[in-house]
Structures are given as C-alpha cells and as structure tokens.
Amino acid sequence: MSIDKEEALQKIIKEIDDLGYKKQINLKTSDVSRILGVSNSTIEKWRKEGIGIDYNQVGGRIFYSKHSMAEWLLRTRVKTA
C-alpha cells in the first residue's frame, strides 16, 4: 500500500473517530448510515447488492470496521476536474 493511500485511510479513520466513534472498534449499520447521511435501508441494500462496505457477520449481527469504511470511501471517490 502506498504511503499516500495509508495517509488517506488514516485521515478518514480520524474523521470518523472525531464524530464520536473513537472508542468503537466496529461500527453498526446505524452508525455507518449516520456517518454517511443515508438510511439504514440504503446501507443494507448496498450490502445485499455487493456494492457496500466490507463487513463482518457474527451470528446475525453485522459489523463494519472503520478501516473497511475508509477503504470503501477511497474506492468510491470520484475525482472531478
């Protein structure tokens, strides 16, 4: 992984932490939807369509790591002129 990408990931993770999630290792669907400003059902739809954030499933519970969320945000970033 390039230094620039790692720096960008750490910057996004810090931004998530600064929103009040510093003590959390994993994020719930409701946390992710709050951070991104979309509904829980949108996060669930993206997950089912395979276009969402990588996640872990324990039993029936879904968890997102902050690192996975940061990677997804970098992957989906669209550069404009």
Side-chain angles (χ1 to χ4, degrees), residues 27-43:
L27 303 169
K28 299 179 289 188
T29 300
S30 58
D31 299 327
V32 172
S33 67
R34 219 172 288 120
I35 291 166
L36 295 178
V38 299
S39 68
N40 286 356
S41 60
T42 297
I43 300 298

Side-chain angles (χ1 to χ4, degrees), residues 9 12-14 16-17 21-27 35 53 64-73:
L9 288 171
I12 293 169
I13 291 169
K14 183 181 179 330
I16 294 169
D17 288 345
Y21 299 96
K22 187 172 184 80
K23 293 183 178 182
Q24 291 178 249
I25 295 171
N26 293 301
L27 303 169
I35 291 166
I53 301 164
Y64 300 90
S65 72
K66 291 184 265 188
H67 192 269
S68 291
M69 185 172 177
E71 285 180 326
W72 181 81
L73 286 167

